[in-house]
Amino acid sequence: MPDSIAERFLEDEGLSEGLTDQQAHELVDWLISVAEDLGEPAYVPQLQRLGREIAKIARDYGVPVETLIDLVEMAWEDPDAPPNPVMRA
C-alpha cells in the first residue's frame, strides 16, 4: 500500500495509459496538487477516477490534457466569483 498521496497517483497506471510522458506528468502533477490542496486522503479515489477519465478523453479524442484540466477547473470555479479576465473571448 502506498504511503503517500503522491505514491498513490504515481502507481496508478490508468493515469498514464496512452498518454505521452509529458501529458502523464502534467496530469499526475495536477492531481497531486489538487489532493494536497484538499488535504483529505479520502478524495484520492475520486481524483484517480477523474484522472483516468481525463486520460481516456485525451487518448480517445486527442484533446490536450492541459485543455481538459482547464475545463475541469472552470467547472469547479465559484459561480459568484468575478469573471476571470483571461477567459474572456
Side-chain angles (χ1 to χ4, degrees), residues 4-55:
S4 73
I5 289 174
E7 285 179 40
R8 291 175 67 181
F9 288 110
L10 292 169
E11 292 180 359
D12 186 344
E13 292 178 16
L15 297 175
S16 61
E17 185 177 341
L19 300 179
T20 66
D21 288 344
Q22 181 180 351
Q23 290 174 320
H25 185 359
E26 184 174 352
L27 178 59
V28 170
D29 282 351
W30 177 73
L31 289 167
I32 290 169
S33 74
V34 170
E36 288 173 348
D37 286 348
L38 292 171
E40 179 59 49
Y43 290 114
V44 170
Q46 293 171 324
L47 290 170
Q48 286 175 302
R49 283 192 298 276
L50 174 62
R52 285 187 219 109
E53 287 301 316
I54 289 173

Side-chain angles (χ1 to χ4, degrees), residues 2 39 86:
V86 176

Side-chain angles (χ1 to χ4, degrees), residues 47-69:
L47 290 170
Q48 286 175 302
R49 283 192 298 276
L50 174 62
R52 285 187 219 109
E53 287 301 316
I54 289 173
K56 181 178 187 237
I57 292 169
R59 177 180 61 246
D60 293 352
Y61 299 102
V63 180
V65 168
E66 181 179 314
T67 300
L68 295 168
I69 290 171

Side-chain angles (χ1 to χ4, degrees), residues 64-85:
V65 168
E66 181 179 314
T67 300
L68 295 168
I69 290 171
D70 289 344
L71 289 171
V72 169
E73 289 180 342
M74 280 181 12
W76 284 346
E77 285 180 1
D78 180 2
D80 297 327
N84 184 346

